Amino acid sequence: MANPPASVMVMGPPPIPNPSLAVKPQEPWRENLSMHLICKDCKEDPPNLVEDFSAGDTVCGSCGLVLGDRIVDTRSEWRTFTNDDQNNDDPSRVGDGANPLLNGAQLQTTIAFSGGGSAKARDLSRAQNRATHDKAAKTLLAAYKEIQAWCDGMRIPKNGSDTAKHLFKITQDEGAFRGKSQETVIAGCIFIACRQCKVPRTFREVFSITKVSKPEIGRIFKQLEKFFGDRNEKLKASIIESGGERFYEVELVSRVRANAFAAQESPLKTAQDSQMWSQPLRKTYKCTVMSQDIASKTETTGVLAGRSPISTAAACIFMASYLAGEGRTAKDISQVAGVSDGTIRNAYKIMYQRKQELVKPDWIADGRADFKRLPPL
């Protein structure tokens, strides 16, 4: 009997792959916002759902059916560690943001102690203070407190006080002015910060609050000018070495120097003094705007060229008050501006002779100002 023939293998082309069966890359999960959860018993739309985060359940508020469990609490992780929070907001577990005016990571924990606390709490607070004692940080905090108090006394805005704190911190970090008293350095930093933030103050105003003499403020001002100038040159040299990584810091110091040490006799300075001194004199808005415009005209026309911005601003307020029918005597203005009433009258005599150049014709036309109200020479 013959053996069956062996199987024959025929070679052919591979099967054509089916694109529909190809494995697609897995996309990240995204919530389908077109779908929403409703109660299968009540079938209310919109649903009345209540999220019980303490139990981790989603419950129907109408029938009480549990629709989901183990939900994730996405709210802020705030909690209180005391039985009585004294009706205050709960403290955040993560703490406050870092203060850029202080050194270090500021991650330490402070153990508070009040007068009615126990002896153990007092001992813990003392031990914690000894363990985390930082003399430099305490010195900065004391200086910042003094700067804030003086800035509040001169009605300096927050950006001015923060700038003064930043300038003082730079001097402390560099170890400059070790022989100078802290009050003198703070007075110089406040004077510079006011000019940088466009709220300039005079030496007399700084002296009235800080009790640092005017000559001493002038000397520390010149020393700070040289200090920031030398530091700026060093930072520029470090830019070349670091490839521009410290450019932002040099820009800050350059801006401080440019704004702080600009010429004092400028239209902006005189106009700002006019606006600042109009508030204690109880001037109306019309009189304040008029004095600012006259101050700008005196600088652009050169009517009072060579005189200090303080005396110029005082004379502009004196003239504008009578033009608007709210006349104030030179003695009243001198008490606010810090210049003698004779200086105000002498500057006013020069302005009176060229009053046509200083006063807008529109003010005379609509009756807001009248030359007849001006006191004679």
Side-chain angles (χ1 to χ4, degrees):
M1 188 173 183
N3 295 328
S7 60
V8 180
M9 297 182 64
V10 180
M11 301 295 293
I16 299 175
N18 188 359
S20 61
L21 300 178
V23 179
K24 297 181 180 179
Q26 186 177 3
E27 297 182 358
W29 180 86
R30 292 183 297 176
E31 182 180 3
N32 189 355
L33 300 179
S34 62
M35 298 178 61
H36 60 279
L37 180 66
I38 64 174
C39 178
K40 62 181 180 180
D41 291 345
C42 301
K43 297 183 180 179
E44 295 179 349
D45 193 11
N48 181 18
L49 302 181
V50 178
E51 292 181 338
D52 186 2
F53 291 108
S54 60
D57 297 334
T58 302
V59 184
C60 177
S62 300
C63 65
L65 179 64
V66 178
L67 304 178
D69 56 353
R70 296 186 179 181
I71 61 174
V72 178
D73 188 356
T74 58
R75 299 175 300 176
S76 300
E77 295 186 1
W78 290 8
R79 55 184 293 195
T80 177
F81 294 94
T82 59
N83 296 327
D84 183 14
D85 58 0
Q86 300 177 357
N87 297 326
N88 295 326
D89 294 336
D90 292 345
S92 175
R93 184 188 301 177
V94 297
D96 297 333
N99 188 352
L101 297 175
L102 296 177
N103 298 319
Q106 306 171 28
L107 299 177
Q108 63 271 14
T109 301
T110 302
I111 301 177
F113 172 73
S114 59
S118 62
K120 183 178 292 185
R122 182 189 59 214
D123 296 339
L124 285 174
S125 179
R126 290 180 177 177
Q128 193 266 345
N129 290 333
R130 287 194 297 266
T132 61
H133 178 72
D134 188 357
K135 185 177 180 180
K138 289 188 176 182
T139 303
L140 286 175
L141 289 175
Y144 293 160
K145 184 178 180 180
E146 196 170 9
I147 291 174
Q148 190 63 49
W150 287 349
C151 290
D152 293 342
M154 289 186 287
R155 295 181 296 179
I156 299 173
K158 186 178 184 301
N159 62 334
S161 61
D162 291 344
T163 303
K165 295 175 184 177
H166 176 70
L167 296 177
F168 179 78
K169 184 177 184 298
I170 292 177
T171 59
Q172 291 294 105
D173 293 343
E174 297 289 337
F177 310 107
R178 292 188 179 275
K180 291 285 184 179
S181 65
Q182 181 172 292
E183 289 76 12
T184 303
V185 179
I186 290 177
C189 292
I190 292 176
F191 181 81
I192 295 174
C194 291
R195 295 198 174 277
Q196 180 195 357
C197 298
K198 309 301 182 184
V199 285
R201 298 293 189 268
T202 62
F203 286 164
R204 186 187 298 271
E205 292 174 291
V206 178
F207 161 71
S208 63
I209 296 294
T210 62
K211 302 306 178 183
V212 179
S213 63
K214 292 187 290 184
E216 189 65 25
I217 297 176
R219 285 191 291 268
I220 193 64
F221 173 74
K222 294 297 182 181
Q223 294 174 4
L224 285 171
E225 178 183 11
K226 184 177 184 301
F227 167 72
F228 285 116
D230 297 341
R231 186 173 184 273
N232 194 19
E233 295 298 329
K234 294 179 181 179
L235 291 176
K236 286 181 179 179
S238 65
I239 284 180
I240 302 175
E241 299 177 0
S242 61
E245 294 180 358
R246 303 185 66 187
F247 177 72
Y248 72 95
E249 189 174 357
V250 177
E251 281 293 306
L252 174 62
V253 177
S254 299
R255 189 164 62 253
V256 171
R257 179 180 171 82
N259 289 310
F261 309 121
Q264 295 186 12
E265 297 183 2
S266 61
L268 178 63
K269 172 68 170 64
T270 306
Q272 287 174 341
D273 287 343
S274 300
Q275 181 183 10
M276 179 178 61
W277 293 334
S278 296
Q279 297 175 358
L281 293 170
R282 301 182 182 275
K283 293 296 182 182
T284 61
Y285 178 75
K286 177 183 70 173
C287 183
T288 302
V289 173
M290 195 177 297
S291 62
Q292 286 182 285
D293 190 81
I294 294 176
S296 300
K297 289 288 185 64
T298 56
E299 294 291 341
T300 54
T301 58
V303 174
L304 297 177
R307 293 183 178 268
S308 67
I310 303 175
S311 58
T312 302
C316 291
I317 294 176
F318 179 78
M319 185 176 188
S321 65
Y322 280 96
L323 285 172
E326 306 172 11
R328 294 292 187 275
T329 63
K331 185 176 181 180
D332 295 337
I333 300 176
S334 65
Q335 293 177 353
V336 176
V339 295
S340 63
D341 52 350
T343 303
I344 298 176
R345 293 193 190 95
N346 292 334
Y348 168 72
K349 291 178 182 179
I350 301 175
M351 297 171 61
Y352 183 84
Q353 297 174 358
R354 303 178 61 176
K355 58 178 183 266
Q356 300 291 345
E357 303 178 25
L358 302 178
V359 181
K360 288 183 177 180
D362 299 341
W363 296 347
I364 304 297
D366 57 17
R368 285 184 292 175
D370 191 356
F371 288 133
K372 297 179 181 180
R373 301 171 183 164
L374 293 176
L377 297 178

